Each structure stands twice: as structure tokens, then as C-alpha cells.
Amino acid sequence: MRDLNKLALRLRKAARVRLFLDYDGTLAGFAETPDKIIPDPGLADLLSRFVDHTRFRVAVISGRRLSHIEKLLPIPGLLLAGTYGIELRTPAGDRINRLELAAVRPTLEQIKPLWENLVSNGKGFYLEDKGWSLAIHARFAQDDDAQTLLESARTLAGDMIDPRVYHLRDGHKFLEVAPILANKGQAVRYIQKHYPWPGAELVFVGDDDKDEDAFAVINDLGGTSIVVATPPRSTAATHRLESPPAVRAWLTGLLADTEV
Ligand SMILES: [Mg+2]
């Protein structure tokens, strides 16, 4: 892992810094269920200060649906990306769907009742319909139950999807069926292509395996990848912060470095 202080020094000298930030597990701790939407005034204030600062541009890229992220971060001028970058809200406030919902729903509607049936027979599971994807959260289930149920869900969905269009993503006690376009690395490339900011230093901060896609892309683009993890784990990221509070403190430090 490389030195965060050296990175801060470099960013302090940079004329332009584009920050790509994950939300859950990065800017904020995990919610009990993804439907719990509790905005954090301190976080909104911090990100507003970046929006006001001409040296920074901020994009938040989350696996949550865009409507949730908008409620969590009611800040004009931020670029927000939901469902791993399928749905975007531009800094000017325009909405972009990179995929027609109507093209995605028929397959998800086939899978949904089967997954609902599985989840309703288990304890501690939660089925989230994000529009463009379906996710089973098993954080509050027993380990063995989670493994068995997620394996069944994977088999059921695996038989129903076209692997050229959809993929199944695993996480810690988590399974999601989503379009292949739902990929944070591709989201970073999309933003860089459609909202270029020449010469900007690029930084991506994220905590889980869906962020690894973006770490690889950011590294490829010559940027900096920061994983949020305690203890350290195997990652493509070049730097590490320990926790969401550490991320906020580090971001606050970046502002302190640049505000006169
Ligand atoms: Mg996260």
C-alpha cells in the first residue's frame, strides 16, 4: 500500500481533482436494510464544500438505485450514479438511463417470484428490487442458511439469464442479478468520456468487490484507487483507508489543504 500523505501532497498541487466515491461502506456505515434512507447532514455539508470548490469535481457511484442516492445526498452539482452507473443524474440535474428499463424487466420479472419464494421461506433475508436489478441481502441470516439459499437463488437465476446481457454478482452474504452494464469500472469510463475534465487527477474510493472493477479502471487511467478496509485485504487498490470516518477525515483534509 502506498502512502496517503504523499497522495495528499500531490493532490494539493493538482489544478483539478476528480473524486469518484462509493456510498455504503465508504462515505457512510451500512444501513440495516437498503430501504432505510437516513440522510447525514454532516456528509452532505462535506460534499457541498467540494461542489463549491472549483478544483474539485465529485461523482458518487453506488449500487443503490439513483432515487435513494438522490435522497441521501440532496446536493445540486454532484454527479450521481445509481445501480452501478446505469442511472445517472448529471451535475446540471439531467437524468440519463444508459439502458431502457423496459428491456431489462421481462427477465427480472421471471426471476423475481422465484427469488421471493426462496426469501419468504428463510429468516433474515431481504429481496431488493432496484428496477434494473434484483438483489438478495442475507446479512442477518445464519451463515449456513445464507450459503444454501444464495446457492439456490444463483442456480435458479443462472438458468434464466442470457449471459451476454446479465450477470450474477456475489458479495458478502449477497447475490444480485443485474445487466452486465451495471459495472462501476464502466461507469468511470462513461463519466470520463461524456464529462471529460482534461488533466484532472482521478481518485476512486470504495470498499467492496464491485468497487474492484473501478479500481482496475482508475489504475489503468493513471489515477489513484483507495480501498476502505479493516483489516487490509487482497485488492487492486493502491491505497487504503480504514473506515468511513477515516474517509471523511481524509476528504476533509483535502479541503483544508486547498481552502485559504
Ligand atoms: Mg460500498
Side-chain angles (χ1 to χ4, degrees), residues 22-28 30 61-63 184 206-208 211:
D22 169 45
Y23 188 85
D24 292 277
T26 297
L27 289 173
F30 285 101
I61 305 180
S62 171
K184 291 189 180 185
D207 69 297
D208 75 12
D211 298 305

Short mmCIF file of all heavy atoms in Angstrom, two decimals, residues 22-28 30 61-63 184 206-208 211, ligand 1:
data_model
loop_
_atom_site.label_atom_id
_atom_site.label_comp_id
_atom_site.label_asym_id
_atom_site.label_seq_id
_atom_site.Cartn_x
_atom_site.Cartn_y
_atom_site.Cartn_z
N ASP A 22 -17.77 5.80 -3.68
CA ASP A 22 -18.85 4.87 -3.36
C ASP A 22 -19.60 5.43 -2.15
O ASP A 22 -19.10 6.34 -1.47
CB ASP A 22 -18.22 3.50 -3.04
CG ASP A 22 -19.22 2.53 -2.43
OD1 ASP A 22 -20.35 2.44 -2.96
OD2 ASP A 22 -18.87 1.87 -1.44
N TYR A 23 -20.80 4.93 -1.88
CA TYR A 23 -21.56 5.45 -0.73
C TYR A 23 -21.47 4.51 0.48
O TYR A 23 -20.74 4.77 1.43
CB TYR A 23 -23.03 5.73 -1.11
CG TYR A 23 -23.75 6.43 0.00
CD1 TYR A 23 -23.68 7.81 0.12
CD2 TYR A 23 -24.46 5.71 0.97
CE1 TYR A 23 -24.29 8.47 1.18
CE2 TYR A 23 -25.07 6.37 2.03
CZ TYR A 23 -24.99 7.74 2.12
OH TYR A 23 -25.58 8.39 3.18
N ASP A 24 -22.19 3.36 0.43
CA ASP A 24 -22.28 2.48 1.60
C ASP A 24 -20.93 1.81 1.89
O ASP A 24 -20.32 1.21 1.01
CB ASP A 24 -23.33 1.39 1.36
CG ASP A 24 -24.73 1.96 1.32
OD1 ASP A 24 -25.33 2.16 2.39
OD2 ASP A 24 -25.21 2.24 0.20
N GLY A 25 -20.50 1.90 3.11
CA GLY A 25 -19.23 1.28 3.49
C GLY A 25 -18.03 2.15 3.15
O GLY A 25 -16.89 1.81 3.48
N THR A 26 -18.28 3.29 2.49
CA THR A 26 -17.19 4.19 2.10
C THR A 26 -17.42 5.57 2.72
O THR A 26 -16.63 6.03 3.54
CB THR A 26 -17.11 4.29 0.56
OG1 THR A 26 -16.78 3.00 0.05
CG2 THR A 26 -16.04 5.29 0.14
N LEU A 27 -18.52 6.23 2.33
CA LEU A 27 -18.84 7.53 2.92
C LEU A 27 -19.66 7.36 4.20
O LEU A 27 -19.64 8.22 5.07
CB LEU A 27 -19.65 8.37 1.92
CG LEU A 27 -18.88 8.88 0.70
CD1 LEU A 27 -19.83 9.55 -0.28
CD2 LEU A 27 -17.78 9.86 1.12
N ALA A 28 -20.41 6.26 4.26
CA ALA A 28 -21.30 6.03 5.40
C ALA A 28 -21.23 4.56 5.81
O ALA A 28 -20.89 3.70 4.99
CB ALA A 28 -22.73 6.39 5.01
N PHE A 30 -22.97 0.92 7.04
CA PHE A 30 -24.04 0.20 6.37
C PHE A 30 -25.38 0.41 7.07
O PHE A 30 -25.47 0.38 8.29
CB PHE A 30 -23.73 -1.30 6.33
CG PHE A 30 -22.69 -1.61 5.30
CD1 PHE A 30 -21.38 -1.83 5.66
CD2 PHE A 30 -23.03 -1.65 3.96
CE1 PHE A 30 -20.41 -2.10 4.71
CE2 PHE A 30 -22.08 -1.92 3.00
CZ PHE A 30 -20.77 -2.15 3.37
N ILE A 61 -20.77 7.00 -7.07
CA ILE A 61 -21.22 5.82 -7.83
C ILE A 61 -21.59 4.72 -6.85
O ILE A 61 -20.75 4.21 -6.13
CB ILE A 61 -20.10 5.31 -8.78
CG1 ILE A 61 -19.62 6.43 -9.70
CG2 ILE A 61 -20.62 4.13 -9.60
CD1 ILE A 61 -18.51 6.00 -10.66
N SER A 62 -22.88 4.38 -6.85
CA SER A 62 -23.38 3.43 -5.85
C SER A 62 -24.10 2.28 -6.52
O SER A 62 -24.58 2.39 -7.65
CB SER A 62 -24.34 4.17 -4.91
OG SER A 62 -25.00 3.26 -4.05
N GLY A 63 -24.21 1.18 -5.80
CA GLY A 63 -25.04 0.08 -6.25
C GLY A 63 -26.52 0.32 -5.94
O GLY A 63 -27.39 -0.35 -6.46
N LYS A 184 -19.13 -0.63 -12.06
CA LYS A 184 -18.57 0.67 -11.66
C LYS A 184 -17.36 1.07 -12.51
O LYS A 184 -17.11 2.26 -12.70
CB LYS A 184 -18.22 0.66 -10.18
CG LYS A 184 -19.43 0.62 -9.26
CD LYS A 184 -19.03 0.83 -7.81
CE LYS A 184 -20.26 0.78 -6.91
NZ LYS A 184 -19.89 1.10 -5.51
N GLY A 206 -13.60 3.20 -2.60
CA GLY A 206 -14.70 2.24 -2.45
C GLY A 206 -14.29 1.08 -1.56
O GLY A 206 -13.11 0.93 -1.22
N ASP A 207 -15.27 0.28 -1.17
CA ASP A 207 -14.96 -0.74 -0.15
C ASP A 207 -15.13 -2.19 -0.59
O ASP A 207 -14.58 -3.08 0.05
CB ASP A 207 -15.81 -0.51 1.11
CG ASP A 207 -17.27 -0.81 0.86
OD1 ASP A 207 -17.88 -0.12 0.03
OD2 ASP A 207 -17.80 -1.76 1.47
N ASP A 208 -15.93 -2.47 -1.63
CA ASP A 208 -16.20 -3.91 -1.83
C ASP A 208 -15.81 -4.41 -3.22
O ASP A 208 -15.15 -3.72 -3.99
CB ASP A 208 -17.63 -4.27 -1.43
CG ASP A 208 -18.67 -3.83 -2.45
OD1 ASP A 208 -18.28 -3.43 -3.57
OD2 ASP A 208 -19.86 -3.88 -2.13
N ASP A 211 -16.43 -2.43 -6.26
CA ASP A 211 -15.51 -1.31 -6.45
C ASP A 211 -14.20 -1.76 -7.08
O ASP A 211 -13.48 -0.94 -7.68
CB ASP A 211 -15.23 -0.64 -5.10
CG ASP A 211 -16.50 -0.06 -4.48
OD1 ASP A 211 -17.17 0.73 -5.16
OD2 ASP A 211 -16.83 -0.44 -3.34
MG MG B 1 -19.76 0.09 -0.75
#
